[in-house]
Amino acid sequence: MSLALRTTVVGSWPPEDRFRPELQRYFRGELAERDADELLRAMAAVAISQQRGLDLDVYTGGETSADSFVLHFARRLSGVRPSSNPEAWDGRGAYEVVDTIAAPRGLGIAEAFRREQVLAPELFKVTLPGPSELTTQLQPADARRGCWPAVMRLLRVEIAELIVAGAREIQLDLPQIAMGLADGGWETEEAVDVIGELLAGLPAGTRRSVHLCYGDFGARTWTRNRALGPLLPLLQRLDGLVDCAVLELSLPEQWAERDKLTELPPRLEVAAGVVDVKTPRIQSSDELARMAEDLLRLLPAERLWLCPSCGLGRRTVPLAMAKVSAMVHAARLLKRQPHERC
């Protein structure tokens, strides 16, 4: 039997080392607008070319304008000011809420997608953080949570612009929801409400995805409870709200509970993050193919994708290339008869 598993990435892709000095100047606000645009365009072109060359089924523009996932959004907001703790977040600083939150220049996600579509018209997948993630640098915590309604409105505006620009898959990256469900701080109903509000009313044919992982700052997991079980009630409630759940699955505790995937709604696809982005070890294609075969005993091929466990943007280019290449090769191995494996 010939199996044809599809492959994708979670979102971010690492910049080449030659871009990093200017990229840091961009994040510090030291580049003129024209120079910044040229830099981001050049970085995106390389990221797209590298992903395209790996023969992925679906890839993104690489989130090349993002600083460590979400640590740049505060600088795009009005209604905040730098706090007295400039050393927070590895020198990126924290921000105090002083007025109603707004984004006069937008959040920058639709802007990046438009820039990247000029380079690669085939792009259609875009990733966005949730309100908890987007307000990571704001303090104190109670003020941060109080900003979520305003931030939700900003995200809805950004999603609407993305749809107009041609985006056909909207993926919400929600690690803080996943971590809160595992260790406390989020309730299932609250998470369902956030996801439902952000993805409601999208045009027919728009693919809706959510990425749930237990954190990746510093290439480490940030939860005490690392099992898959805490996410199950939310995943079961996503029927009709979401088309695909992008799950980590590379943690041993999650993998041990992979049978719980059979309890998901039958319409929900799963992008299985079997490629562990938190380790420098490169899993072999055979190892990944065996994991995929195990998952195919639980889910049919038409509901299953292979992907990394999280974005690769905080890794190196050689490591990202090697890990994704092994994953794509694993998907090809599954198309052969078992005795044809090499």
Side-chain angles (χ1 to χ4, degrees):
M1 179 177 63
S2 176
L3 301 173
L5 287 188
R6 296 155 295 176
T7 57
T8 188
V9 288
V10 173
S12 64
W13 191 258
E16 291 194 336
D17 287 344
R18 61 190 169 103
F19 292 124
R20 291 187 186 275
E22 285 297 281
L23 184 60
Q24 290 308 309
R25 291 189 62 208
Y26 166 71
F27 289 135
R28 291 195 298 266
E30 297 173 358
L31 290 187
E33 185 175 347
R34 179 174 177 178
D35 293 336
D37 185 69
E38 289 180 0
L39 171 67
L40 297 175
R41 196 175 298 274
M43 288 173 54
V46 172
I48 291 166
S49 176
Q50 289 170 343
Q51 293 174 86
R52 183 190 284 144
L54 290 166
D55 203 24
L56 285 157
D57 291 298
V58 175
Y59 45 90
T60 75
E63 299 179 16
T64 54
S65 59
D67 182 4
S68 196
F69 176 42
V70 293
L71 298 182
H72 60 287
F73 283 113
R75 294 192 295 274
R76 299 192 69 97
L77 301 177
S78 61
V80 303
R81 69 183 177 195
S83 75
S84 58
N85 184 11
E87 299 306 314
W89 297 104
D90 293 331
R92 296 175 179 89
Y95 291 77
E96 297 175 346
V97 179
V98 295
D99 204 343
T100 303
I101 294 293
R105 298 177 295 117
L107 296 174
I109 303 168
E111 175 185 311
F113 181 69
R114 288 190 292 266
R115 179 172 55 240
E116 292 153 3
Q117 267 216 324
V118 173
L119 301 168
E122 75 275 9
L123 291 178
F124 64 83
K125 177 179 177 177
V126 184
T127 62
L128 302 93
S132 178
E133 289 75 17
L134 198 146
T135 55
T136 293
Q137 290 175 276
L138 305 189
Q139 60 180 34
D142 57 345
R144 181 165 65 241
R145 184 171 281 262
C147 293
W148 288 359
V151 169
M152 291 279 283
R153 290 191 291 272
L154 296 179
L155 285 166
R156 288 287 299 169
V157 168
E158 205 78 12
I159 290 171
E161 290 188 18
L162 286 164
I163 297 298
V164 170
R168 301 194 309 278
E169 177 172 357
I170 302 297
Q171 176 182 296
L172 302 178
D173 290 332
L174 305 173
Q176 292 193 26
I177 284 182
M179 291 187 287
L181 291 173
D183 280 352
W186 275 85
E187 299 295 332
T188 296
E189 290 303 318
E190 183 183 22
V192 171
D193 289 344
V194 167
I195 293 169
E197 183 176 342
L198 288 174
L199 297 181
L202 296 185
T206 305
R207 184 173 170 80
R208 304 156 299 173
S209 304
V210 294
H211 173 229
L212 300 167
C213 76
Y214 291 154
D216 183 37
F217 280 123
R220 54 168 287 199
T221 298
W222 288 76
T223 58
R224 296 183 302 275
N225 186 349
R226 301 178 178 184
L228 183 62
L231 303 182
L232 190 61
L234 172 61
L235 293 169
Q236 290 170 332
R237 291 290 309 279
L238 294 182
D239 191 22
L241 294 177
V242 166
D243 302 299
C244 183
V246 184
L247 303 177
E248 194 167 14
L249 289 184
S250 60
L251 295 173
E253 298 89 342
Q254 294 172 327
W255 186 250
E257 293 189 339
R258 61 192 178 279
D259 285 2
K260 293 185 182 295
L261 296 176
T262 61
E263 302 176 38
L264 300 187
R267 294 183 295 178
L268 187 66
E269 296 180 14
V270 172
V274 294
V275 178
D276 189 352
V277 306
K278 297 173 188 173
T279 174
R281 184 176 77 86
I282 298 168
Q283 297 150 282
S284 70
S285 298
D286 277 325
E287 178 183 353
L288 294 172
R290 286 192 295 270
M291 295 177 77
E293 285 180 327
D294 205 348
L295 292 173
L296 283 165
R297 298 186 183 98
L298 308 173
L299 298 172
E302 59 268 20
R303 287 181 57 201
L304 187 62
W305 295 69
L306 297 185
C307 71
S309 59
C310 196
L312 286 155
R314 293 173 291 282
R315 306 293 92 87
T316 65
V317 171
L319 189 64
M321 296 282 285
K323 284 180 175 289
V324 173
S325 178
M327 178 185 75
V328 173
H329 189 219
R332 289 173 178 164
L333 286 176
L334 289 172
K335 295 180 182 179
R336 306 176 185 176
Q337 294 294 334
H339 67 273
E340 292 178 313
R341 286 276 190 86
C342 56

